[in-house]
Amino acid sequence: MPGAPAQPDMTTQPRPVYVIGAGPGGLAVAAALRARGVRAVVIEKSDRVATSWRGHYDRLHLHTTRRLSGLPGLRIPRRFGRWVSRDDVVRYLEKYAEHHELEIITGVEVTRIDRATDPTPEGAEAGGWTLHATGGRELAAAAVVVATGFNHTPALPDWPGAGTYTGRLLHASEYRDAAPFAGLDVLVVGVGNTGAEIAVDLTEGGGDQRRRRRKDAEDTTARRAASVRLAVRTAPHIVRRSTAGWPAQRTGILVRRLPVRLVDRLGALVAKASVPDLSAYGLPRPTTGLYSRVREGAIPVQDVGLIDAVRARTVVPVAAVESVDGAEVVLADGSRIAPDVVIAATGYRRALEGLVGHLDVLDGRGRPLARAGRSPVSAPGLYFTGFTNPISGMLRELALDAEKIAKALPRRLS
């Protein structure tokens, strides 16, 4: 069939490379390996691919462009538009697995990875790896790629008194749309991209009213939250998703190799020219440079309505949460508020400790020591992908990592 991937002969490979996780990172690695004649088996704990994407909130669109978000061997269709929606990302990943005829095992969770016991002098590199999985399974792997995702386990802050809260407390991972919060006083905690977008969604009643018919606009008005506050601990850098047709992602790609101080200065100049000063509304400009914050793990907030919402005072920035006291939330400035709902957009943990923590391959923050297509020195044949949050775009970097891993692995296995 025209356009179909080549069918490599993998019958002489009794031990496959196991890829853990059927998200974009895992699928990309499996496809890149298959293209080089390496048998890769993807193991996914849920019942289908792209599970984490299916669970994101309804209004989510990629903040990276369609052209710069495709995975190896299959472009994202033009009909999905420039900023691809959540549902279309899922459709693309389903098609990607089908197009590349990937070998995927669903409903099986890998709980621990161990070096295979092998008497040869080469040790783990010769003996490979043993994967312990649900149902008492033990799988023998020539190599392993861990692609369980950057956003793996929701992280809720341990606020003093949180157990006494009489309202509803949920993590942002549980948020889908504004309808359940209609008419309520909502506090969103955390001003990353997720928190900012959820806050805007709550004020709009689940969608951009400029793109709706009059009747639909009236319906969304009925679904709006009564008030939305946004708790901010550290003022974020806000960037326009696109300026005069030029996406922020392309700027992120261009500046990645430049000195941090230079990018910080350039970022400050661009911000003054393109983003209004929101200090009077409770959201001052950050004091730390943009790229310095990126190196610390804080990605800029891409504006999809936050600036307008803050200026219209439909989203009201407040101080960070310090504690909870029954129905009240105590803020860092000493003030108290009594929201009906608290939505914690407070990030995720990688949760790799149980899987590989005993192998000395993680740093003090639980992140892999090796990345970008390299194995840790102490664990040859073990790879990681998708555990950074790059300014150049997650999907783009997953695609690049997949090619690097696929290039390195056959040499190691030969």
Side-chain angles (χ1 to χ4, degrees):
M1 182 175 64
Q7 301 295 314
D9 179 11
M10 294 177 282
T11 58
T12 59
Q13 301 175 22
R15 291 186 304 172
V17 174
Y18 279 104
V19 180
I20 306 173
L27 297 179
V29 169
L33 287 171
R34 181 178 175 81
R36 288 168 172 78
V38 177
R39 184 186 175 205
V41 178
V42 181
I43 302 180
E44 168 59 42
K45 68 178 182 180
S46 70
D47 61 352
R48 50 190 173 173
V49 304
T51 297
S52 63
W53 276 94
R54 298 174 196 274
H56 289 313
Y57 48 92
D58 291 351
R59 74 175 283 151
L60 177 66
H61 285 67
L62 292 180
H63 292 164
T64 56
T65 66
R66 170 181 51 80
R67 290 187 176 184
L68 295 174
S69 301
L71 302 179
L74 185 67
R75 293 181 178 179
I76 299 177
R78 287 177 58 90
R79 68 179 183 276
F80 288 174
R82 192 183 197 195
W83 311 106
V84 184
S85 71
R86 176 203 65 184
D87 290 346
D88 283 337
V89 171
V90 172
R91 293 186 184 99
Y92 169 68
L93 294 177
E94 290 175 335
K95 181 62 177 179
Y96 190 85
E98 176 187 346
H99 176 79
H100 289 289
E101 299 185 350
L102 300 182
E103 190 174 349
I104 302 173
I105 300 172
T106 59
V108 174
E109 181 178 6
V110 177
T111 56
R112 182 181 171 96
I113 301 172
D114 282 320
R115 295 180 177 87
T117 55
D118 193 299
T120 61
E122 291 83 6
E125 185 169 359
W129 299 89
T130 298
L131 279 60
H132 303 273
T134 50
R137 299 174 179 87
E138 289 191 359
L139 308 173
V144 181
V145 181
V146 179
T148 50
F150 187 82
N151 295 336
H152 187 274
T153 301
L156 276 172
D158 186 20
W159 292 310
T164 70
Y165 183 50
T166 57
R168 182 185 175 194
L169 170 63
L170 68 152
H171 189 269
S173 60
E174 301 176 62
Y175 181 89
R176 295 295 175 269
D177 60 47
F181 309 97
L184 299 180
D185 183 346
V186 183
L187 173 67
V188 180
V189 182
V191 69
N193 278 293
T194 296
E197 195 156 352
I198 287 175
V200 172
D201 197 52
L202 287 164
T203 69
E204 293 179 350
D208 186 346
Q209 295 185 35
R210 291 171 297 180
R211 301 179 183 177
R212 295 180 177 270
R213 303 187 309 272
R214 181 183 299 274
K215 182 178 182 302
D216 290 336
E218 292 172 355
D219 290 342
T220 56
T221 298
R223 293 197 298 266
R224 292 177 181 173
S227 65
V228 180
R229 297 182 182 93
L230 183 60
V232 179
R233 184 169 298 277
T234 303
H237 286 273
I238 303 174
V239 299
R240 301 288 188 181
R241 186 168 64 175
S242 179
T243 302
W246 178 266
Q249 180 187 10
R250 287 198 179 276
T251 302
I253 294 170
L254 291 174
V255 304
R256 283 195 71 188
R257 308 297 180 187
L258 296 179
V260 173
R261 290 184 179 179
L262 175 60
V263 179
D264 283 348
R265 289 197 293 269
L266 292 174
L269 292 174
V270 171
K272 288 182 179 180
S274 62
V275 177
D277 186 359
L278 301 175
S279 299
Y281 302 91
L283 198 60
R285 293 191 187 276
T287 56
T288 306
L290 184 149
Y291 205 30
S292 293
R293 292 289 307 281
V294 169
R295 296 293 290 271
E296 295 170 358
I299 297 299
V301 171
Q302 295 210 23
D303 179 47
V304 290
L306 180 65
I307 292 174
D308 288 346
V310 169
R311 296 176 80 178
R313 300 190 188 277
T314 55
V315 171
V316 178
V318 296
V321 174
E322 286 294 301
S323 63
V324 179
D325 183 14
E328 294 186 322
V329 175
V330 183
L331 304 179
D333 61 4
S335 62
R336 290 172 173 256
I337 58 177
D340 300 307
V341 182
V342 175
I343 301 175
T346 46
Y348 296 78
R349 294 186 294 107
R350 312 293 86 79
L352 291 170
E353 290 80 4
L355 191 66
V356 297
H358 56 289
L359 298 173
D360 297 325
V361 295
L362 304 178
D363 65 14
R365 297 172 62 184
R367 302 173 302 182
L369 291 170
R371 57 192 69 171
R374 296 188 296 271
S375 284
V377 175
S378 62
L382 177 64
Y383 296 84
F384 298 87
T385 185
F387 293 98
T388 61
N389 194 13
I391 193 173
S392 51
M394 174 69 81
L395 291 177
R396 178 180 181 273
E397 293 304 314
L398 289 175
L400 294 174
D401 274 2
E403 296 289 4
K404 292 174 184 176
I405 292 171
K407 183 178 179 180
L409 248 174
R411 293 198 301 265
R412 187 174 295 282
L413 298 177
S414 62

